[in-house]
Amino acid sequence: DEGRTPASCAAYWGQADCLEIIADTDPDSLCTLDNNGGSPAIFAALKGNTDCLKIIARAAPNLFIIKDKNNNTPAIYAAERGHSECLRVIAEVAPNSFDIQGSDGNTPAFMAARSGHKECIEIIEEVAPNSFDIENGNGHSPPNLAKYNDIANMVKCDRCSGGIIENSGYAFYCTSSFEFSDSGNKLEIGNMLICDDCTNEIMTGEF
């Protein structure tokens, strides 16, 4: 017996109508955790049940900053699984939860970057841009991981800042000259990652 409550079961299985009744008649029960520290918010985020998460956001928004025994928050689970709509619900009521570090020091931004969930990255970037500077327990940050995983809309152009590195190739590592290839559209000069717009300027001699 994991000590799971009716509210947690409804959230896990996506039974929004049942969860609505519980929230209206016994809202305090939403805050009862199971034996593993799991809450209705954790289970709704984990399973991608957006309608359930909206009910929780209205009735018990404090649940979004509570960790389970794995040290993770609803935002971390939503980001890891790529549940962007759930993440958007959390962003509206608890953007501060995006800075909370979970297991191994990982944040929602880190989990989204590691799993390659572009839409989740965009949501986090809108409401918690500073969370991209947070390193996990191994000293890795979301931009480092995104660069490794080729995630578009995550790594900004080092030259123009506004440009985006598109996800259609791999980075080129150059030390003494520019190198181009048909297999991608990114260029790296030393430690500088350049977007398409800047690459075109380089090709026309305007760098």
Side-chain angles (χ1 to χ4, degrees):
D1 181 11
E2 296 182 348
R4 200 165 290 179
T5 64
S8 287
C9 288
Y12 184 90
W13 293 108
Q15 302 296 336
D17 290 342
C18 294
L19 191 63
E20 182 101 54
I21 294 172
I22 296 171
D24 290 340
T25 59
D26 188 15
D28 290 343
S29 69
L30 293 177
C31 298
T32 301
L33 309 182
D34 70 10
N35 296 339
N36 295 311
S39 68
I42 289 282
F43 294 121
L46 185 67
K47 299 294 287 185
N49 295 325
T50 307
D51 289 341
C52 290
L53 211 60
K54 288 179 179 178
I55 295 169
I56 297 166
R58 169 178 59 81
N62 60 303
L63 287 178
F64 293 122
I65 61 172
I66 296 177
K67 299 179 181 180
D68 63 10
K69 287 190 176 179
N70 291 323
N71 212 30
N72 293 324
T73 63
I76 289 173
Y77 284 118
E80 180 183 27
R81 299 296 180 93
H83 299 316
S84 58
E85 292 306 312
C86 287
L87 202 61
R88 193 172 294 282
V89 171
I90 299 172
E92 291 175 357
V93 296
N96 58 319
S97 69
F98 288 8
D99 292 331
I100 297 175
Q101 292 177 270
S103 177
D104 297 325
N106 296 328
T107 60
F110 186 93
M111 299 307 289
R114 187 178 74 175
S115 302
H117 299 308
K118 174 185 170 183
E119 291 184 7
C120 292
I121 287 293
E122 292 173 339
I123 293 168
I124 299 168
E125 193 172 32
E126 289 175 10
V127 300
N130 291 337
S131 69
F132 291 102
D133 297 327
I134 300 175
E135 295 183 348
N136 71 354
N138 295 319
H140 298 145
S141 66
N144 296 147
L145 210 59
K147 186 173 174 181
Y148 177 79
N149 287 341
D150 253 357
I151 301 175
N153 288 341
M154 176 63 191
V155 183
K156 298 288 187 178
C157 175
D158 287 334
R159 183 178 181 224
C160 69
S161 296
I164 299 297
I165 308 302
E166 295 296 335
N167 183 18
S168 61
Y170 55 85
F172 303 101
Y173 296 88
C174 317
T175 55
S176 59
S177 63
F178 303 129
E179 296 179 12
F180 300 93
S181 169
D182 293 334
S183 60
N185 67 341
K186 294 188 293 188
L187 168 70
E188 184 157 339
I189 308 166
N191 293 321
M192 196 173 189
L193 199 60
I194 308 299
C195 70
D196 270 352
D197 291 338
C198 291
T199 299
N200 291 335
E201 291 185 11
I202 293 170
M203 295 179 71
T204 57
E206 298 177 10
F207 184 72

